[in-house]
Every structure is written in C-alpha cells, then in structure tokens.
Amino acid sequence: MYKFFLILIACFMIFSCSKPGDLTIGRAMKSYQSKDYDNALSFFKEALDEESNYSPELIYNFIANIYLQMDDIENAVVYQEKSVELRPEYRNLVSLGMSLHLLKRDAEAEGAYRKAIDLDPQKGEAYASLGALYLGQGRSQDAIVQLRKATEFEPKIAVMHANLAIAYAANGESEKSDAEFKIAEELKCENLEEFKERAESMQKQ
C-alpha cells in the first residue's frame, strides 16, 4: 500500500501544478507521507470539489486506500465502489472484492471478482480470490475450478498453489493436494505449515 502511494506521489510531481486541485492533492499526499491520515482525507475530499488533473475515480481510490490504512473497511468500500462505478478497473475490482469479503458481504464480493474476470480473463488474481472465497464457504469443488485457473495464469505464485492444495484435500484428493503443496514449497510459500494444518483439518471433516 505504501509503495502504491509513493508511485502516485511521483506521478504528482510530473504534473505542472496549474490547477487549484493539484495543489490540494499535493498537500493530501504530503499528509499521507507523514501518516496524518485525517488531514490527508480532508484534503482529498476538498480536491473533489476543485478542478485538477486528477480524475474523480482516482481521488476516490486515494481516499479508499487511506481508509484501508486506518482499518476502516466500511468507509473504504464506499469509496472503492464510487471509483469502480465511474471506471471499472481489474485491480480495483479485486481490491473491492477483498474488502467486501472482510465485511462478510460475500455475494457482493463474488460479483466484484466476476466483474474483474470479465475485464481480464487472462489474469489469476481474481480467480484466486474467488477460489479462496469458495474455500471458506466449504465449496471445495467450486474452489478447485477457480484456483486451477489462477495457477494456470499465475504459476509462480506460491499461495495460489497452497490454497489449491487445501481445496483438493477438502475434496478428498490427497495425491493432488500433496502435489500442489510440493509446488508451493518449491516456490517458498510463507506459513506453509499453517496451510498444511488447515488441509489436514478439512480432510478430517
């Protein structure tokens, strides 16, 4: 998240500050760098009413990310939804789905993930997120379908293989589970033992 804002700050510095809103956004970004989130929010919201080189959906995204930093998921979702309503983008839709899932609004989270997939069916992140959601709901077969697609498009992401291993275990396919865990281990998956413990627990169920 911090890297995200550093990139945005770099973009800001490229712009000529010819519009009032640009200066306000500059103040917002400086406040964010200082972790003065309240002032950052105030400046970004002020910029929404000013002419600037920044689109409203981008400013909404700035605001949403600050709320995420503050662990205020409900307000983050409000601004994530405003952003994707104006301009649906793959990564923003995936982020919205993750936030909705944290709020236990899984039907809406699924919708956000599926919109992301419709935008770019060749990326793995939305499939992986949807698979993880299904896994948490005990829908192991549906999880397998999505996680297999995720690993096809993103074969080097260890956590996707670890989640697929859990899904196979929950579905009673122990050999396939072991094979996916082996791949996850080769890719140096963090907290691999925790994934294995979860798989073992689901096998017993």
Side-chain angles (χ1 to χ4, degrees):
M1 192 71 67
Y2 186 67
K3 184 184 289 185
F4 170 81
F5 265 87
L6 288 179
I7 292 170
L8 295 176
I9 290 166
C11 292
F12 168 77
M13 294 174 71
I14 293 171
F15 281 125
S16 60
C17 299
S18 58
K19 297 181 180 180
D22 296 338
L23 293 172
T24 305
I25 289 172
R27 295 186 186 104
M29 290 178 174
K30 287 178 181 177
S31 295
Y32 178 84
Q33 278 187 299
S34 302
K35 298 187 178 181
D36 184 357
Y37 297 139
D38 288 334
N39 268 331
L41 285 171
S42 180
F43 283 129
F44 276 128
K45 290 177 182 180
E46 182 181 334
L48 287 168
D49 296 322
E50 298 176 333
E51 186 180 3
S52 78
N53 285 304
Y54 293 82
S55 65
E57 61 269 22
L58 184 57
I59 298 173
Y60 289 143
N61 204 38
F62 291 158
I63 294 170
N65 279 287
I66 292 174
Y67 277 124
L68 288 174
Q69 285 285 353
M70 299 169 70
D71 292 324
D72 186 345
I73 309 301
E74 290 187 2
N75 272 315
V77 164
V78 170
Y79 285 92
Q80 286 175 318
E81 288 178 330
K82 287 176 181 287
S83 179
V84 300
E85 183 178 351
L86 289 176
R87 185 178 180 183
E89 290 188 348
Y90 180 89
R91 187 161 296 279
N92 291 343
L93 282 163
V94 173
S95 295
L96 172 60
M98 291 177 175
S99 297
L100 289 166
H101 176 58
L102 288 173
L103 294 176
K104 303 187 185 303
R105 292 163 58 181
D106 282 354
E108 295 169 83
E110 180 176 354
Y113 294 142
R114 290 202 174 279
K115 286 179 183 177
I117 290 169
D118 289 341
L119 281 177
D120 194 339
Q122 303 299 311
K123 289 184 178 178
E125 189 176 3
Y127 292 116
S129 299
L130 187 55
L133 185 150
Y134 288 154
L135 192 56
Q137 294 176 339
R139 297 165 59 183
S140 59
Q141 292 183 342
D142 291 331
I144 288 168
V145 171
Q146 301 302 323
L147 289 163
R148 284 184 61 181
K149 288 179 181 177
T151 57
E152 287 171 9
F153 292 118
E154 307 284 354
K156 299 298 184 182
I157 298 182
V159 68
M160 294 182 182
H161 291 280
N163 275 327
L164 180 54
I166 293 173
Y168 278 132
N171 205 46
E173 301 179 73
S174 58
E175 289 186 7
K176 290 182 179 180
S177 177
D178 291 342
E180 290 299 325
F181 272 132
K182 184 177 180 181
I183 295 171
E185 185 174 8
E186 290 171 352
L187 293 171
K188 303 187 185 305
C189 179
E190 294 184 14
N191 305 316
L192 184 60
E193 290 306 314
E194 292 180 14
F195 285 98
K196 289 183 176 180
E197 287 173 8
R198 187 179 174 196
E200 185 177 353
S201 174
M202 296 186 100
Q203 279 180 320
K204 289 178 180 178
Q205 294 174 11

